Amino acid sequence: ANLAAAGGSVVGAGAVVRGRIDDSVVWPGALVERGEHLRRAIRTTGGRTVLIRRRPRVRRLRTESDWTQ
């Protein structure tokens, strides 16, 4: 699922969300229990939770022209 296109969380058909979800994906038929808070995570139908890491920032390497300006 593309969270950026969805503009937030994506909940599959038949999923049950009793807790809170932020920027997460809940697969069809999966369960998020009361008291749980998924943030940037994927909940599978088997109850497994996969955390979503942010992409690392790519730093531009300095060139010789950076030093001579």
Side-chain angles (χ1 to χ4, degrees), residues 5-20:
S9 295
V10 177
V11 179
V16 177
V17 178
R18 296 182 180 133
R20 290 179 51 196

Side-chain angles (χ1 to χ4, degrees), residues 1-68:
N2 188 332
L3 291 175
S9 295
V10 177
V11 179
V16 177
V17 178
R18 296 182 180 133
R20 290 179 51 196
I21 58 172
D22 295 313
D23 296 328
S24 297
V25 176
V26 182
W27 284 10
L31 172 66
V32 178
E33 290 284 1
R34 186 171 282 111
E36 286 189 281
H37 183 186
L38 297 185
R39 185 168 197 291
R40 298 192 51 80
I42 301 168
R43 175 59 56 89
T44 69
T45 51
R48 181 168 290 184
T49 302
V50 179
L51 300 179
I52 302 168
R53 294 185 177 181
R54 294 187 187 275
R55 273 190 281 178
R57 290 185 183 171
V58 177
R59 293 184 1 188
R60 186 177 66 87
L61 295 176
R62 292 184 176 199
T63 63
E64 186 176 335
S65 63
D66 291 331
W67 301 106
T68 58

